[in-house]
Amino acid sequence: MSYLARKSQFLSKFNRRNLNANQLSLLIISSIFLLLGTTGGVAQVKTAQKSGFTLQLLHTSDQEAGVPALKDAPNFSAVLNALKNQDVNRDGKPDYPNTLILSSGDAYIPSPFLFASDTVFGGQGRGDILILNALGFGAIAFGNHEFDLGTGVVADLLRAKEDYPGTKFPYLSANLDFSTDKDLAKLVTAEGQEASKIPNKIARSTIITVNGEKIAVVGATTPTLRTISSPGGVTVLPKKFNNRDAADIAALAAEIQTSVDTLLTKNPEINKVILLAHMQQIAIEQKLGQLLKGVDIIIAGGSNTLLADKTDRLRVGDKSAGIYPIIKKAADGNPIAVVNTDGNYRYVGRLVVNFDAKGVIIPNSIDPKISGAYATDSQGVAAVGGKPDAKIVAITEALKKVIIAQDGQIFGKTNVFLNGWRGDVRTQETNLGNLTAEANLAIAKRYDPKTVISIKNGGGIRDNIGIYTFPPGSTRSQDVIKLPPQANPVAGKKEKDISQLDIANALRFNNGLTLVTLNAKELMAVIEHSVAAIAPGATPGSFPQVAGLAFSFDPDLPAGKRVKSLVIKDGKGKIIDVVVKNAELVGDSNRIFRAVTLNFLANGGDGYPFPKRERVDLTSKDADKSKRTGLATFAADGSEQDALAEYLAANFKQIPFAQEDVPATEDTRIQNLKLRKDVVF
């Protein structure tokens, strides 16, 4: 080939658009050798190519499909598939052929979306799994919400049946022992097998071969699982765990390391390891990253932390919680990348990274213009030229018909947006938190008129009742427009109406209510526990929403010593008992108060120290539907959804609810002394 011909070929390649930095560097090097006619140089470049490996990791966590997933799940498929098949230079080949699709757990959650599958597909949650199958996940770690309905439901969703394929991928967790659970023991298989050979199975780890390259994938689940979900007979390791205790985190790291070491020892040819870690707080995943050896990438889960860089276009109103990815130094001295995005099918995470010949990631190879968070709103779909997967569209359309029928059952009205936003209900008092706590108190009084207190956890509120939107073209969070529920003419729903669907979507777990008796000292301990996990950047599900009391706390003080003031109030807001003043217990510590809480919390969920004294469960999951009373027969008597529906019907059927949500600086039931003065008295 002549010099001019070689030059023309070089310029043709160089002018191709949108090449990433590494592709461009390799192209320039190879083209220089081409111009010089040095065939040996070209051979050296090819050798260098083979010695390294470029991986495109498409990831998510906390899919947790609620009503918004009817649109967001198909959009998610459009973005994911567009990235997977991206062919910028139009040569008929994907830009990144070495692609892996993984999730770090909470792939489904009790919700109208999950329950609609019972009607459409013959079993709760089957629509969720069919969507995951269609998206092509190679493996998923167990989160906490997989266990919310018990291990029997987990088994039903994983197993293949005549009319249902179950999971076409393995579920993973290295620190959960499933052999001790009667429902799941038979689904356990040996660790370190090829993922394609163990669909419908549970393992500690798996291997996924991508174009001949074996990549190890290990799962891990929060050791707080037993206090935040219902894992049945599953053994959770380490058995004692405090996420603020360095020794406990080290013990967790040791459990994970055992699986990593076992897998690598049996497969010495593998030098790339990805950890799917569902730890609820991304700070824990970062600490694990610094304690582990042989792990290259951690996909975090449970915290809904939106990591993004300046080149990422986020959904209107969203803010980055940190740079994508977070790079740490692992215990072996190598770099380790921690990635995460917001959940609920709102973003696809994309990490394109080079590994060197030893299987160590090269942080400088991560181009922020390529890697990061990809929004799955309409604008995000258009930006990548995506098209929703037809199978997923069909699934969501079938579920939508069932869900819409629930939107025509009206129980009340509201003039205001009811705030169930995750970052708010887990850190401050909200108007929806107050409303549902009041509803629980009202129904409890029917069973026991002496009930004066209602305490629930913010983590049990899963969504707003109303619309959270922005003006066209806005990119500023301060431009947010919060509106009451919108009309649904198809279902006969008018603007401001609160429907069965609104209630079920916001209170997806539909916990049963439980009456308990606490003395003053125990009440103080419960309230101290409710704010013990508050910390910068944390969104603990244990944070309370209350009725019948007011208290103040200082989050800068040590956990267990934060409550400054605590009083009991009657229905008119009058103080009827002072329990804590100036951080000291007042009066007889053995005087008692009747309280209503959630069955989940009464059982020790979220670590709550409720006493068992004079306990009365107001409902049970197997309640006879034909015996349900009142207007809200869609939910069991004495359940949270039933309580809210009946309370709305009794108080806000004609005159709409009108208590606007206020910032934390104006909260009165739960007063954060870092943000406002103490006016409990």
Side-chain angles (χ1 to χ4, degrees):
M1 184 182 290
S2 69
Y3 168 78
L4 290 177
R6 289 195 296 270
K7 179 179 180 181
S8 175
Q9 188 182 69
F10 165 74
L11 292 174
S12 174
K13 291 183 178 180
F14 186 81
N15 286 330
R16 288 175 179 166
R17 299 175 62 191
N18 296 324
L19 296 178
N20 68 38
N22 297 296
Q23 291 173 317
L24 186 57
S25 298
L26 184 57
L27 176 57
I28 292 172
I29 293 170
S30 59
S31 299
I32 289 172
F33 284 129
L34 181 62
L35 291 173
L36 295 175
T38 311
T39 56
V42 175
Q44 290 174 13
V45 171
K46 289 181 179 178
T47 301
Q49 260 187 300
K50 290 180 180 178
S51 67
F53 183 81
T54 300
L55 174 69
Q56 175 176 232
L57 175 62
L58 301 177
H59 65 90
T60 188
S61 65
D62 307 281
Q63 293 95 305
E64 299 179 9
V67 174
L70 293 172
K71 181 177 181 180
D72 286 336
N75 280 0
F76 184 96
S77 74
V79 173
L80 183 141
N81 289 329
L83 297 179
K84 181 176 68 174
N85 300 317
Q86 179 182 295
D87 179 14
V88 173
N89 58 16
R90 298 181 182 178
D91 63 356
K93 300 177 181 179
D95 294 341
Y96 304 104
N98 304 321
T99 294
L100 200 53
I101 303 172
L102 299 170
S103 167
S104 55
D106 278 4
Y108 57 86
I109 192 173
S111 71
F113 194 100
L114 179 139
F115 295 128
S117 282
D118 205 8
T119 301
V120 179
F121 299 110
Q124 295 177 356
R126 291 185 178 182
D128 294 80
I129 300 301
L130 294 174
I131 288 172
L132 300 175
N133 288 343
L135 289 169
F137 283 97
I140 296 180
F142 276 106
N144 52 291
H145 289 308
E146 271 85 359
F147 299 96
D148 285 340
L149 297 175
T151 55
V153 171
V154 177
D156 181 71
L157 289 175
L158 268 65
R159 285 196 193 102
K161 298 174 180 63
E162 184 177 348
D163 58 345
Y164 169 68
T167 57
K168 291 185 177 181
F169 51 85
Y171 252 104
L172 308 177
S173 186
N175 66 308
L176 299 183
D177 181 358
F178 296 91
S179 67
T180 54
D181 182 81
K182 62 182 178 60
D183 294 313
L184 299 178
K186 292 181 180 179
L187 298 180
V188 176
T189 190
E191 59 187 306
Q193 298 181 74
E194 187 71 34
S196 61
K197 296 181 180 179
I198 53 171
N200 314 110
K201 295 293 185 180
I202 297 170
R204 295 175 182 271
S205 64
T206 190
I207 296 170
I208 302 178
T209 302
V210 182
N211 292 324
E213 187 77 18
K214 291 185 176 181
I215 300 173
V217 183
V218 180
T221 307
T222 172
T224 64
L225 181 63
R226 194 159 296 285
T227 65
I228 61 176
S229 194
S230 304
V234 175
T235 300
V236 184
L237 301 171
K239 292 184 177 180
K240 294 182 179 180
F241 184 79
N242 182 334
N243 60 20
R244 294 184 293 274
D245 190 320
D248 288 357
I249 294 177
L252 172 60
E255 292 287 346
I256 298 168
Q257 191 69 58
T258 297
S259 285
V260 173
D261 292 346
T262 299
L263 194 151
L264 294 180
T265 299
K266 291 182 178 180
N267 302 273
E269 74 279 16
I270 295 179
N271 60 10
K272 300 171 184 66
V273 180
I274 297 173
L275 173 64
L276 309 178
H278 196 95
M279 294 298 136
Q280 296 296 97
Q281 300 294 340
I282 199 169
I284 300 176
E285 279 103 352
Q286 293 183 66
K287 291 175 182 177
L288 287 174
Q290 296 170 297
L291 296 172
L292 295 169
K293 298 178 180 179
V295 178
D296 303 289
I297 301 168
I298 297 178
I299 302 177
S303 64
N304 292 70
T305 303
L306 177 54
L307 299 181
D309 54 60
K310 293 181 180 179
T311 67
D312 297 336
R313 185 199 67 80
L314 304 183
R315 287 173 175 243
V316 176
D318 285 356
K319 292 182 179 180
S320 171
I323 294 296
Y324 182 107
I326 298 170
I327 302 294
K328 294 290 183 179
K329 186 177 181 180
D332 54 14
N334 293 324
I336 185 170
V338 180
V339 296
N340 199 16
T341 62
D342 194 7
N344 306 104
Y345 289 106
R346 290 167 50 82
Y347 289 89
V348 175
R350 185 194 204 189
L351 179 68
V352 177
V353 61
N354 289 353
F355 291 78
D356 66 17
K358 295 181 179 180
V360 177
I361 65 167
I362 305 172
N364 289 340
S365 70
I366 301 171
D367 185 345
K369 293 181 181 178
I370 295 171
S371 296
Y374 284 74
T376 60
D377 54 6
S378 298
Q379 190 175 343
V381 172
V384 297
K387 183 178 180 180
D389 183 282
K391 290 181 180 179
I392 294 176
V393 171
I395 293 166
T396 53
E397 284 299 316
L399 296 173
K400 184 177 181 180
K401 292 178 181 178
V402 175
I403 292 172
I404 282 179
Q406 301 173 15
D407 213 20
Q409 302 298 316
I410 308 303
F411 290 93
K413 301 178 185 293
T414 177
N415 283 334
V416 297
F417 172 86
L418 299 177
N419 185 6
W421 201 253
R422 175 189 175 96
D424 289 342
V425 294
R426 292 167 176 246
T427 58
Q428 65 183 72
E429 171 189 340
T430 78
N431 62 349
L432 179 55
N434 288 346
L435 177 61
T436 182
E438 290 284 359
N440 292 351
L441 182 58
I443 198 169
K445 285 181 176 292
R446 297 182 191 174
Y447 290 87
D448 186 344
K450 295 180 181 179
T451 308
V452 292
I453 300 168
S454 173
I455 303 170
K456 59 177 291 179
N457 62 327
I461 300 174
R462 306 305 300 187
D463 215 332
N464 309 306
I465 295 181
I467 300 298
Y468 188 93
T469 188
F470 292 82
S474 170
T475 59
R476 304 187 309 162
S477 58
Q478 57 264 44
D479 293 338
V480 63
I481 300 173
K482 299 179 181 179
L483 302 171
Q486 299 300 284
N488 183 348
V490 176
K493 179 184 181 182
K494 298 178 181 179
E495 186 178 358
K496 300 182 180 182
D497 282 350
I498 301 176
S499 69
Q500 173 186 331
L501 181 59
D502 291 322
I503 295 167
N505 190 52
L507 302 177
R508 295 176 194 173
F509 298 143
N510 196 28
N511 288 289
L513 301 179
T514 297
L515 297 177
V516 294
T517 297
L518 307 89
N519 62 36
K521 185 177 181 180
E522 292 165 338
L523 175 59
M524 182 178 180
V526 164
I527 298 303
E528 283 284 9
H529 176 80
S530 74
V531 295
I534 284 293
T539 53
S542 55
F543 187 85
Q545 299 293 328
V546 301
L549 59 81
F551 70 93
S552 65
F553 72 101
D554 186 344
D556 290 334
L557 294 177
K561 298 182 178 180
R562 292 179 168 180
V563 176
K564 181 181 178 182
S565 304
L566 171 60
V567 300
I568 309 298
K569 292 188 173 185
D570 64 16
K572 297 180 180 180
K574 180 182 177 181
I575 295 175
I576 56 176
D577 199 315
V578 176
V579 182
V580 178
K581 188 172 185 178
N582 295 324
E584 296 290 337
L585 193 62
V586 176
D588 181 3
S589 62
N590 291 315
R591 70 188 187 281
I592 60 173
F593 305 97
R594 196 63 164 154
V596 62
T597 188
L598 309 185
N599 180 279
F600 169 66
L601 301 184
N603 289 334
D606 276 347
Y608 267 86
F610 278 106
K612 306 298 182 183
R613 188 183 307 113
E614 299 178 43
R615 171 174 171 166
V616 177
D617 292 327
L618 303 188
T619 190
S620 62
K621 291 184 178 180
D622 59 352
D624 186 345
K625 293 183 179 181
S626 66
K627 296 180 180 179
R628 292 178 181 175
T629 61
L631 297 174
T633 55
F634 71 90
D637 287 359
S639 65
E640 271 211 287
Q641 291 179 11
D642 177 68
L644 181 55
E646 297 290 0
Y647 187 72
L648 289 169
N651 296 280
F652 304 107
K653 190 81 172 181
Q654 303 299 326
I655 301 175
F657 181 83
Q659 179 192 330
E660 290 193 15
D661 196 56
V662 297
T665 53
E666 299 176 32
D667 286 344
T668 55
R669 295 187 186 185
I670 305 175
Q671 300 177 20
N672 185 334
L673 300 182
K674 192 172 183 178
L675 303 175
R676 61 157 305 146
K677 293 181 179 180
D678 188 339
V679 293
V680 169
F681 297 104

